[in-house]
Amino acid sequence: MRVWMEATPISTLSPSPQAQAELQEVLRLKELFATLPDPRVVGRVLHSLPEVLLVALCAMICDCEDFTDMGHFAQSQLPWLRQFIPLRNGAPSHDVFRNVFLALRPDDLLEIMELWVGDLAGKQVTIDGKVSRGAKDTHTGKSALHILRAWVSEASLSVGHEVCAEKSNELEALPRLLAKLQLHGAIVTIDAMGGHPDIARLIQDAGADYILALKGNEKEAHQAVAAHFESLRPTPEAAAAGEQGWAEGCEVSTTREQNRGRYEQREVIVLRDVGWWPKSWRWTGLQSVICVRRETMRQRHTTENPAIETHYYLSSSLADAAELGRLIRNHWSVENQCHHLLDVTYHEDHCQVRDKAAAHNLTLMRELSTKVLKSSAVKGSIRSKRKRCCLDPAFRTEATQHIFHGFGA
């Protein structure tokens, strides 16, 4: 006997072609959960692994943060859940969620995310680290969970995680992360910790291009590049006259933006010829040396002097200055679209799950929930959608029904 029924859409919104493609990917989520190896003892479980993970995902979407919250959600929303999931043995308890997240391998969930993102050719892979401070245990001396994340902003998902070892750093974990990824045809952007010749070689060997920030950790290279760009800068007279003034051979792209009372001018200066730099051979495949100069002020028409910041990058890409500037700026999507959401909207740093595997699996489930909410046709921020899903079952059905399509007895 079937104990579930298909949900009836309550919205007449027509998703865009891109949204429709994303929805088709979400429809596969149940099938992908079913492919995961169940780490529990066969014959001693009441709830299948796809059931537990789908209920946990719904709980995460509905503003739940830990295993106790998931148990309360499953118990209180059992009639709603049974519209989509059989749950013949009732609602999973908080212990069920805890045991599953303790035993499940994070790499197995990561494989689902990799399949969701698909081929990385032509996409930007942004690598940055984040610490889940709530996983730190001062009583046992366990450190916080430090994850190096490979983020694809076009898909709003990670394609790889690597946990940094105890008393280690991100540079030590970076080669292991790169070795896991199928990077052929992608462009990889990394902040200062990745501006190392060995990292450039690994990315090139994988068939990808790179944009690496150059800072004080590569002191000699940083000083050489900064001094050379300083010699190419326009004279004060030329700058005052509004002329470009950069020396011949510089490719320049300038953008201006005013938003919320803040004015910013960004200059991207690209040098293709690196013959002036004797040590350029150390960075495999180096094609461009880039300077990004930002002038910002609180209002456009003020007497205050603008704040000026200058940053330098090394790249193997032959893209034009405007595209390189876009890629450099888009690197920080991992902070705005992922890390900020995890910290501020999902309160990840306050979740005191100490086991590293369980904490890692919860991080992955948070990422999946943001992807589901972004893929839905309803409007609103992730925070507002989570609140409304928690309070309004009808809205919850509208926002999440696509992940249950075809799931039944």
Side-chain angles (χ1 to χ4, degrees):
M1 177 178 177
R2 297 169 78 93
V3 294
W4 62 280
M5 59 184 178
E6 294 286 341
T8 303
I10 62 175
S11 171
T12 58
L13 292 173
S14 298
S16 66
Q18 180 180 357
Q20 289 176 345
E22 290 184 347
L23 290 180
Q24 291 302 315
E25 292 298 323
V26 178
L27 296 180
R28 300 176 55 207
L29 192 54
K30 183 272 302 181
E31 299 173 2
L32 294 174
F33 279 159
T35 65
L36 296 177
D38 194 333
R40 298 170 296 174
V41 178
V42 177
R44 298 184 63 183
V45 297
L46 297 177
H47 306 281
S48 69
L49 186 61
E51 281 187 344
V52 175
L53 293 179
L54 281 171
V55 175
L57 180 60
C58 288
M60 195 72 74
I61 287 170
C62 292
D63 214 23
C64 297
E65 297 179 359
D66 55 26
F67 306 133
T68 302
D69 288 349
M70 291 177 183
H72 291 326
F73 171 82
Q75 185 66 46
S76 62
Q77 301 302 315
L78 185 59
W80 180 85
L81 288 167
R82 277 180 166 162
Q83 295 181 87
F84 313 100
I85 307 173
L87 293 175
R88 295 185 180 89
N89 294 309
S93 69
H94 70 279
D95 282 332
V96 172
F97 293 110
R98 179 180 179 275
N99 292 336
V100 166
F101 278 79
L102 281 170
L104 189 64
R105 293 176 65 249
D107 285 346
D108 291 335
L109 275 179
L110 274 168
E111 287 182 8
I112 287 179
M113 296 166 70
E114 291 176 35
L115 289 171
W116 199 332
V117 174
D119 188 7
L120 295 179
K123 296 177 181 176
Q124 181 179 357
V125 179
T126 298
I127 297 180
D128 195 35
K130 182 186 180 300
V131 178
S132 298
R133 304 189 185 281
K136 183 176 181 179
D137 191 342
T138 55
H139 297 292
T140 62
K142 287 185 178 180
S143 63
L145 178 65
H146 190 169
I147 294 175
L148 195 60
R149 176 179 276 106
W151 170 262
V152 181
S153 60
E154 294 96 326
S156 296
L157 272 180
S158 296
V159 290
H161 284 188
E162 185 63 33
V163 177
C164 297
E166 295 275 350
K167 299 181 180 180
S168 184
N169 56 30
E170 294 178 357
L171 184 58
E172 183 271 338
L174 183 53
R176 299 200 306 272
L177 176 60
L178 293 174
K180 292 180 177 180
L181 304 176
Q182 302 297 321
L183 292 171
H184 188 79
I187 184 159
V188 180
T189 58
I190 312 177
D191 198 13
M193 64 93 179
H196 193 278
D198 290 343
I199 301 303
R201 176 180 54 80
L202 290 174
I203 294 172
Q204 284 281 282
D205 289 346
D209 283 318
Y210 59 80
I211 300 178
L212 306 178
L214 189 61
K215 294 185 180 179
N217 57 329
E218 289 290 332
K219 185 176 180 180
E220 183 180 350
H222 182 265
Q223 290 177 345
V225 170
H228 189 72
F229 272 107
E230 188 66 24
S231 69
L232 301 176
R233 282 185 59 187
T235 63
E237 294 77 13
E243 301 176 7
Q244 175 181 308
W246 287 92
E248 185 178 354
C250 295
E251 183 182 338
V252 182
S253 172
T254 303
T255 59
R256 297 174 178 85
E257 180 179 341
Q258 187 169 1
N259 186 23
R260 297 180 181 178
R262 180 176 180 271
Y263 172 76
E264 178 183 82
Q265 175 178 300
R266 296 172 63 92
E267 269 189 316
V268 181
I269 307 98
V270 180
L271 289 177
R272 307 293 184 185
D273 181 10
V274 295
W276 51 270
W277 186 16
K279 297 292 183 69
S280 64
W281 61 269
R282 297 181 60 206
W283 280 265
T284 305
L286 181 64
Q287 297 288 344
S288 309
V289 181
I290 307 162
C291 172
V292 176
R293 189 172 184 273
R294 298 193 301 125
E295 295 187 15
T296 58
M297 60 178 64
R298 286 192 295 271
Q299 293 180 350
R300 186 171 186 176
H301 301 290
T302 63
T303 57
E304 68 177 7
N305 293 324
I308 300 175
E309 296 181 8
T310 305
H311 303 277
Y312 303 100
Y313 301 85
L314 306 178
S315 178
S316 64
S317 174
L318 291 174
D320 60 25
E323 176 64 8
L324 289 171
R326 184 192 70 80
L327 291 168
I328 290 170
R329 190 170 190 181
N330 193 54
H331 172 84
W332 298 109
S333 64
V334 65
E335 293 288 351
N336 301 328
Q337 299 176 24
C338 182
H339 294 171
H340 178 80
L341 279 176
L342 294 179
D343 280 338
V344 177
T345 303
Y346 287 83
H347 305 127
E348 182 169 87
D349 280 351
H350 298 284
C351 181
Q352 297 185 0
V353 174
R354 309 298 192 190
D355 183 84
K356 294 295 178 66
H360 196 171
N361 283 323
L362 282 172
T363 293
L364 293 166
M365 194 59 69
R366 293 181 188 107
E367 281 197 47
L368 285 170
S369 73
T370 62
K371 175 64 175 178
V372 170
L373 289 174
K374 288 178 181 178
S375 300
S376 67
V378 296
K379 303 296 184 182
S381 66
I382 298 298
R383 181 180 182 276
S384 67
K385 287 181 181 181
R386 292 186 80 207
K387 296 293 184 183
R388 291 184 65 185
C389 283
C390 177
L391 299 171
D392 185 354
F395 181 86
R396 186 191 311 152
T397 301
E398 185 178 14
T400 63
Q401 60 185 329
H402 49 285
I403 70 176
F404 297 113
H405 181 79
F407 187 78

